[in-house]
Amino acid sequence: MSASRREVIDVPTASRAYEVVCGRALLDELGTMVRPLVKGDSLLIVTDSHVWPLYGQRVADSLRASGFSINVFVFEAGEAQKNLQTYATCLEVMAQSGLTRDDAVVALGGGVVGDLGGFAAATYMRGITVVQVPTSLLAMVDSSVGGKTAVDLQGGKNLAGAFLQPALVLEDVEALATLSPALLMDAFGEIIKHGVLAGPELFNAIAENPVTAPLMGAVDCSALDFDRMAALVSANVRVKRDVVVEDERESGLRQTLNLGHTIGHAIEAASNYTLGHGSCVAAGLAILCRGATAHGLTPAPVTRAILRCIEAYGLPTHANVPADAIIERLRADKKRHGSTVNAVIVRFLGDVEVVPMDIDRFAEIVRAGLSS
Ligand code: GLY
């Protein structure tokens, strides 16, 4: 293990400035980093049944060594638990633990844990501090940064939520070693999206010589090059940071992070959430770009480069979903504005535009993307 490679990325959003610390062998330093950020002495670790046995003790020991008293809320792993019942239980555990406004939640796990723990922190006593400790690649490059927190309702995903920027995001890429290769690969849907947003330099670094090559046939991700992973994760965090610092509450620029998501969410729902989020975003991006190329909006060579990159990571570029199912969901989408939709269109690598568009026109793009 090496403690040498780490990067500290400043995230100065309007509501709070914080750091994302990304590197290797960082988990044992959590207590030292959290201590100056929390006035009180009590912390609740929110985590799930998969992550707690792997990293819980190390994290709790590190926090205790910095003088915190620790309570733990462990819920059953899985997206199905990101609901109002688990959220309510979490709040009750916070109250029973005697957490005050000066205390904090430490969300240790993947996106479900971060979203739920963050939402509980955002609403307990009208808001207390949250520290995000993501352990999945998707959470490291996306959901732990930017302050979106939520739980799902029966009416849809992430429908109850709040913005709460964390006090710190600690990303120890060595925690990725225990992930299944399939889960790690899935996150490349979001990583490729970030490459498209950032421009040719990051996009080509992702597309050429995939960092996931050593995982062929592996049962876990321990064969990853963790120094390369740290560099890749940091680069992704910087892309997201640059967007959320400009537009914390998604009134404009942040909508570009939804690239590929409108179609991707429909694919995810049609698969009954059996297809991973990143895979659905990858397919959504591919369908969008093909359709946009057919309508003269995205140059064909750009679309070809994106499709090749998605294929290089073994992610889908097509989806077995009828166009009407996607359009229907689009009409019901919470991010729709009247009869228009904010389509996120790729002009070139590094040049992505939010284009308000009549739903019927967007529907034609989706149809073209599905049939080409
Ligand atoms: N995952 C998109 C965002 O945080 O805005």
Side-chain angles (χ1 to χ4, degrees):
M1 298 224 293
S2 142
S4 58
R5 258 201 95 93
R6 73 177 54 183
E7 195 163 332
V8 178
I9 300 155
D10 292 314
V11 188
T13 62
S15 68
R16 160 163 226 155
Y18 57 99
E19 291 177 344
V20 179
V21 184
C22 176
R24 304 185 60 169
L26 293 176
L27 280 186
D28 303 314
E29 293 181 47
L30 182 63
T32 319
M33 290 192 222
V34 170
R35 189 60 276 184
L37 303 171
V38 178
K39 266 200 237 152
D41 290 326
S42 278
L43 299 175
L44 180 73
I45 299 176
V46 176
T47 187
D48 69 23
S49 56
H50 177 67
V51 174
W52 174 250
L54 293 169
Y55 303 111
Q57 213 50 59
R58 255 177 87 189
V59 162
D61 286 350
S62 168
L63 293 167
R64 279 197 194 98
S66 288
F68 289 110
S69 73
I70 304 296
N71 285 284
V72 185
F73 173 56
V74 186
F75 61 90
E76 197 187 323
E79 176 78 30
Q81 305 307 313
K82 201 178 103 175
N83 58 34
L84 287 172
Q85 287 72 30
T86 315
Y87 161 70
T89 310
C90 184
L91 289 177
E92 293 294 354
V93 172
M94 290 164 88
Q96 282 154 20
S97 308
L99 247 58
T100 70
R101 280 211 168 131
D102 289 339
D103 299 322
V105 165
V106 174
L108 170 70
V112 170
V113 167
D115 281 7
L116 188 137
F119 186 44
T123 45
Y124 181 71
M125 292 190 169
R126 301 191 184 85
I128 66 168
T129 298
V130 66
V131 170
Q132 294 283 357
V133 187
T135 55
S136 75
L137 184 55
L138 204 55
M140 286 183 191
V141 298
D142 187 11
S143 57
S144 67
V145 180
K148 279 188 179 176
T149 74
V151 295
D152 302 336
L153 301 184
Q154 279 170 12
K157 280 187 71 169
N158 297 325
L159 286 190
F163 284 98
L164 175 68
Q165 300 296 338
L168 168 75
V169 184
L170 183 110
E171 309 201 334
D172 185 340
V173 294
E174 289 179 358
L176 300 173
T178 47
L179 281 187
S180 75
L183 205 60
L184 185 111
M185 300 290 275
D186 182 70
F188 277 84
E190 294 285 6
I191 289 174
I192 294 166
K193 178 200 81 178
H194 283 157
V196 174
L197 292 175
E201 195 183 333
L202 181 60
F203 181 84
N204 291 335
I206 295 163
E208 290 157 13
N209 186 16
V211 63
T212 51
L215 300 181
M216 291 290 284
V219 292
D220 63 26
C221 294
S222 53
L224 279 173
D225 176 339
F226 289 102
D227 285 337
R228 257 192 93 193
M229 271 325 282
L232 180 69
V233 170
S234 302
N236 273 266
V237 170
R238 283 195 299 272
V239 174
K240 183 148 188 194
R241 182 271 313 271
D242 290 349
V243 174
V244 299
V245 162
E246 281 294 310
D247 176 23
E248 188 179 345
R249 296 178 78 91
E250 201 173 300
S251 49
L253 183 68
R254 190 163 180 170
Q255 291 172 27
T256 58
L257 293 175
N258 296 330
L259 175 63
H261 280 59
T262 305
I263 303 172
H265 282 151
I267 298 169
E268 215 175 347
S271 80
N272 218 3
Y273 298 95
T274 53
L275 251 181
H277 176 73
S279 302
C280 295
V281 168
L285 177 61
I287 292 163
L288 173 82
C289 287
R290 276 199 305 270
T293 295
H295 282 251
L297 298 170
T298 302
V302 172
T303 291
R304 275 199 299 274
I306 293 171
L307 295 179
R308 267 199 309 273
C309 182
I310 293 172
E311 280 160 5
Y313 283 90
L315 293 170
T317 54
H318 286 91
N320 196 14
V321 183
D324 286 346
I326 295 180
I327 311 303
E328 207 175 293
R329 282 197 66 84
L330 191 60
R331 291 188 195 283
D333 196 312
K334 67 180 189 297
K335 288 177 180 158
R336 187 167 60 79
H337 305 271
S339 65
T340 62
V341 59
N342 284 338
V344 187
I345 299 294
V346 183
R347 303 291 189 194
F348 292 101
L349 294 175
D351 181 1
V352 170
E353 199 184 333
V354 179
V355 183
M357 196 180 275
D358 191 81
I359 291 191
D360 292 337
R361 176 144 194 253
F362 190 71
E364 287 312 312
I365 291 176
V366 173
R367 284 201 180 87
L370 280 167
S371 63
S372 52

